[in-house]
Amino acid sequence: MPVSVRRVAREDYAAWRPLWDGYNAFYGRSGATALDERVTAQTWDRFFDAGEQMHAFVAEADGRIVGIVHYLFHRSTSRLADVCYLQDLFTDESLRGRGIGRALIQAVVDAAREKRSSRVYWHTQDTNAAGRALYDKMAEHRGFIVYAREL
């Protein structure tokens, strides 16, 4: 199945939204714990704001959007060049294992190279075995543990 990746467009919202909702549900943000609609609206708008460092690609196959990836650039205290954080990655569950996730990650890597970023990084839950199988082929797991404190 040939997959193509391109920047998200405003007219992609109806196809992007179910994948975004699926991504959030995967991480426990659905039903009573769903994201506030304002967060989704703001996230979507940021992709089209030239002043923002947040970006998005979609993957297409057979004429439909089958995957999404969101990423952003930021400074680092340990590097001269900015780094790229791949924040969200999700593909149509029925099409997993067909290279969609790989194509989306590669598109982010290519975009980061184009911006002269010095690194692309991301994280996932340790229980995400399917995702980790792909990530282990595309990057080095450096053993970091993520801590978070809600404010």
Side-chain angles (χ1 to χ4, degrees), residues 1 7 22 29-30 46 48 64 66 71 80 87 102 108 113 115 119 132 136 140:
M1 174 179 64
R7 294 201 181 280
R29 296 182 297 258
S30 64
R46 284 177 172 164
F48 307 100
R64 66 185 184 99
V66 295
Y71 62 100
L80 294 174
Q87 188 165 11
R102 177 182 296 274
V108 172
R113 276 196 184 110
K115 290 271 285 185
R119 176 178 64 186
R132 291 185 69 188
D136 287 344
E140 175 188 352

Side-chain angles (χ1 to χ4, degrees), residues 10-143:
R10 281 265 182 207
E11 57 269 16
D12 294 330
Y13 182 81
W16 170 87
R17 183 62 194 258
L19 293 165
W20 172 243
D21 290 342
Y23 172 80
N24 283 298
F26 180 84
Y27 284 107
R29 296 182 297 258
S30 64
T33 59
L35 283 182
D36 185 312
E37 279 298 316
R38 294 173 299 176
V39 173
T40 294
Q42 183 179 55
T43 297
W44 180 253
D45 287 343
R46 284 177 172 164
F47 299 145
F48 307 100
D49 182 341
E52 284 284 344
Q53 290 296 315
M54 190 172 289
H55 309 279
F57 288 125
V58 294
E60 291 181 307
D62 296 327
R64 66 185 184 99
I65 293 174
V66 295
I68 59 173
V69 67
H70 309 144
Y71 62 100
L72 56 100
F73 296 98
H74 66 87
R75 299 195 189 288
S76 171
T77 59
S78 63
R79 294 168 181 261
L80 294 174
D82 286 354
V83 295
C84 179
Y85 175 48
L86 189 160
Q87 188 165 11
D88 313 314
L89 174 69
F90 192 76
T91 63
D92 182 315
E93 293 178 53
S94 69
L95 299 174
R96 300 246 167 97
R98 298 187 185 187
I100 299 164
R102 177 182 296 274
L104 287 164
I105 292 169
Q106 188 60 53
V108 172
V109 168
D110 293 344
R113 276 196 184 110
E114 186 177 308
K115 290 271 285 185
R116 297 195 172 154
S117 185
S118 61
R119 176 178 64 186
V120 175
Y121 73 101
W122 60 95
H123 64 267
T124 192
Q125 289 181 326
D126 61 355
T127 57
N128 183 3
R132 291 185 69 188
L134 170 62
Y135 305 157
D136 287 344
K137 294 174 186 168
M138 300 200 70
E140 175 188 352
H141 179 267
R142 295 189 175 170

